Amino acid sequence: SGAVQMGCGTADGSCAHGEVTICPDVDGGWTEVTGVYNAVATATTFRLHGESGYDAYFDYMSMIGPCPGGNNRVVNGQLDGPVVDNTIAGWNTHNCEVSIVDWEGRTGVLKNKDAGGFSDIYQTINTVAGATCALPSRCSVSHHDASRSSFQ
């Protein structure tokens, strides 16, 4: 999916789609999606995004490429609970209700229930400016427009 830049840099961390956006292209079931991101700064925010009133489910998120302190800097990339104050360890939320559920044959996955449009669970990590990274994740949605992973 093409990049869309909408509302980045707000105080609450909201950025609708980011600079690089990857989306599943099928409805239902689990889909592996991988984005390639060329870091332009020393920090990158990535978002597991849902919208349009559809629930989005995510199984993991990782970063493959040069990072300060090691290859994979994603905190809690397995998206494990428990959910405390509507988030999980290492992550922040924006306009979503977070829970850990069983879905489509997988147990203990993160559910992002839309709670106001452009719902995100997001994290900012240190990167190396100019480095190219791959950011794979696994997601499942009931409608392919409901889930995106974006990076800025």
Side-chain angles (χ1 to χ4, degrees), residues 6-16 47 94 122 152:
M6 299 174 63
C8 291
T10 62
D12 65 359
S14 175
C15 177
R47 302 174 180 282
H94 175 258
Y122 64 95
Q152 61 193 42

Side-chain angles (χ1 to χ4, degrees), residues 54-142:
Y54 296 103
D55 297 337
Y57 302 84
F58 297 92
D59 192 28
Y60 74 88
M61 177 74 195
S62 64
M63 180 173 192
I64 302 168
C67 302
N71 190 39
N72 186 5
R73 300 292 293 166
V74 177
V75 176
N76 192 10
Q78 294 303 313
L79 307 174
D80 292 333
V83 174
V84 177
D85 294 330
N86 196 44
T87 195
I88 58 174
W91 295 82
N92 297 296
T93 58
H94 175 258
N95 281 349
C96 66
E97 295 176 21
V98 173
S99 57
I100 303 297
V101 300
D102 296 342
W103 179 256
E104 296 282 326
R106 295 191 182 278
T107 59
V109 300
L110 182 129
K111 177 181 178 182
N112 172 346
K113 180 178 180 176
D114 183 52
F118 298 115
S119 58
D120 299 312
I121 181 164
Y122 64 95
Q123 184 175 130
T124 300
I125 61 169
N126 292 330
T127 55
V128 176
T132 298
C133 304
L135 295 122
S137 65
R138 182 181 302 128
C139 57
S140 177
V141 294
S142 58

